[in-house]
Amino acid sequence: MPRLIPVMLVHGFDGAPSSWTESGFRQQLILKGNLDPNLIRTFDYGVAPDGTYNNRGDLREIASRLAGANLSPEDRFLCSVDQLSDNSVARGGPAEVTLIAHSLGGIICRYYLSRAMRDDWGTLYRGNVGRLITIGSPHRGVDLARLIDLAPRGSLMWRFIRLLEKLGLAPARPATTVEKLEAMLRAQQIAERTTGSPDRPENRILLTDSPVYRQLHPDSPILAELNKPGMLPRHITCHTVYGDICYSITIRANRITLIDHSVSFGDLVVAAESAREVPNTPCTSHPFVDGRSIAMTLTTGPALPEPRSLIDALPAVAHHRQLANPEIQGAILSILAP
């Protein structure tokens, strides 16, 4: 017999309700989690004034749909947490709904849950959510202009290696190799941060062209309000699932280590420190770390082939691959387990 757990799935920016099925995520909840499909809803952002899907809208307006504000009966069935709660009780299940949200969806859910009083869009949380699970959500904001270098510039050792290379004493050209790897990695970051679904390039929307970009910026007034103590009701159990792509570089000359540096790129869109926790809220973190490394030894012999394992594939914990990641799906199922 299927388990009666009401679940609302809220997708992220430039996604769609179909993101949960195209990734196989919803199917795993049904097949491996044995959840009742009648109680798994895929939230819809609604229609924008220009008739397109409302991926560019104000997150506060989108959150009002979770409260069922001003919705048709059809949209209320799909989007309203209260409707899902009532349907669960009618089938003999619990009244407490589980919200599972990816990226922007997590901030939309948090805004909805923070509304103890009705706002200008009619959003009011009525106390029937028991659990919030966010996947790659930028709880402390996201700055898409911030890109990270693989190796620190300006250090004495970096200048020393550059000098050896220029003098021809390091034919393996470690500095040049690192810079090439950095350029490829930065290109990956830019592509991941500025585009939507990789399989639908013609439908991509730039996050920087939408009101949501300002609302998700680290200095956003909305985030500042949501991150105050007590904004997430205490009765809600909170879990954060996030990716952390970590790169390390080591350069040695004989037995002397010249550079030993590690850096976190988060999931190439959201920094790990932003997705790791909901500020001022007790929560359980579930990190998925993809560690990659490169080690080079300065030599006076022939140059070695450039190491490319660092950037040979987009890691499975990257932002737009998270819903399809079997390990992340398994983590969610374990949270939902009895």
Side-chain angles (χ1 to χ4, degrees):
M1 181 177 178
R3 298 163 61 206
L4 301 177
I5 299 178
V7 175
M8 182 71 75
L9 303 173
V10 184
H11 68 78
F13 180 81
D14 206 17
S18 60
S19 300
W20 299 101
T21 52
E22 291 174 356
S23 64
F25 191 100
R26 186 176 187 275
Q27 295 90 315
Q28 292 302 304
L29 294 183
I30 296 169
L31 296 176
K32 291 189 176 180
N34 192 33
L35 301 192
D36 187 338
N38 295 295
L39 295 179
I40 303 176
R41 308 282 162 82
T42 51
F43 180 78
D44 188 310
Y45 280 24
V47 179
D50 63 1
T52 62
Y53 189 65
N54 194 24
N55 252 318
R56 295 178 185 266
D58 189 307
L59 72 83
R60 296 168 296 183
E61 180 182 6
I62 297 171
S64 71
R65 296 172 65 83
L66 285 168
N70 306 310
L71 297 184
S72 67
E74 293 80 9
D75 282 349
R76 180 176 171 81
F77 178 82
L78 289 174
C79 301
S80 167
V81 170
D82 299 333
Q83 176 79 62
L84 177 55
S85 175
D86 291 344
N87 293 159
S88 176
V89 172
R91 295 176 71 85
E96 295 77 19
V97 171
T98 293
L99 298 177
I100 303 178
H102 181 231
S103 192
L104 166 63
I107 309 304
I108 291 172
C109 289
R110 286 183 58 202
Y111 179 83
Y112 159 67
L113 295 170
S114 72
R115 296 303 94 186
M117 298 181 64
R118 195 182 306 273
D119 70 1
D120 293 341
W121 286 269
T123 306
L124 176 66
Y125 171 56
R126 295 181 174 84
N128 48 14
V129 170
R131 186 163 41 199
L132 171 65
I133 305 171
T134 66
I135 307 169
S137 292
H139 297 296
R140 296 185 183 273
V142 57
D143 184 358
L144 297 184
R146 177 175 177 262
L147 294 172
I148 304 172
D149 291 323
L150 180 60
R153 296 298 190 270
S155 68
L156 178 62
M157 285 301 97
W158 178 260
R159 291 197 294 267
F160 176 63
I161 292 170
R162 262 301 193 198
L163 176 62
L164 292 179
E165 190 172 289
K166 289 180 180 179
L167 293 175
L169 300 178
R173 300 180 65 79
T176 300
T177 298
V178 169
E179 287 177 340
K180 288 181 179 180
L181 290 171
E182 279 184 337
M184 298 176 73
L185 181 57
R186 288 167 70 85
Q188 263 191 348
Q189 281 186 288
I190 291 170
E192 184 77 2
R193 291 179 172 201
T194 60
T195 60
S197 176
D199 58 348
R200 298 196 306 274
E202 71 282 359
N203 294 329
R204 288 172 175 168
I205 298 172
L206 291 180
L207 176 58
T208 49
D209 290 341
S210 69
V212 168
Y213 176 61
R214 295 186 294 275
Q215 294 174 330
L216 293 183
H217 197 270
D219 61 5
S220 159
I222 290 180
L223 284 180
E225 179 187 3
L226 290 180
N227 289 340
K228 292 178 180 177
M231 294 302 290
L232 192 71
R234 291 185 178 182
H235 66 269
I236 296 175
T237 302
C238 183
H239 295 263
T240 59
V241 178
Y242 64 95
D244 192 5
I245 301 165
C246 299
Y247 292 85
S248 63
I249 177 168
T250 304
I251 300 178
R252 298 185 180 91
N254 295 324
R255 297 182 180 181
I256 301 174
T257 298
L258 301 178
I259 288 183
D260 187 2
H261 181 65
S262 297
V263 61
S264 165
F265 289 85
D267 62 15
L268 299 182
V269 173
V270 178
E273 60 265 25
S274 183
R276 178 180 295 121
E277 62 182 6
V278 177
N280 295 306
T281 299
C283 60
T284 303
S285 299
H286 305 265
F288 286 84
V289 179
D290 186 318
R292 301 185 176 210
S293 63
I294 175 173
M296 289 184 285
T297 301
L298 298 186
T299 174
T300 57
L304 299 175
E306 293 181 7
R308 297 197 175 275
S309 60
L310 196 65
I311 38 75
D312 56 6
L314 192 63
V317 298
H319 197 73
H320 286 99
R321 298 185 65 186
Q322 289 170 344
L323 297 186
N325 185 320
E327 292 185 356
I328 290 178
Q329 293 174 355
I332 304 297
L333 288 171
S334 68
I335 295 171
L336 298 177

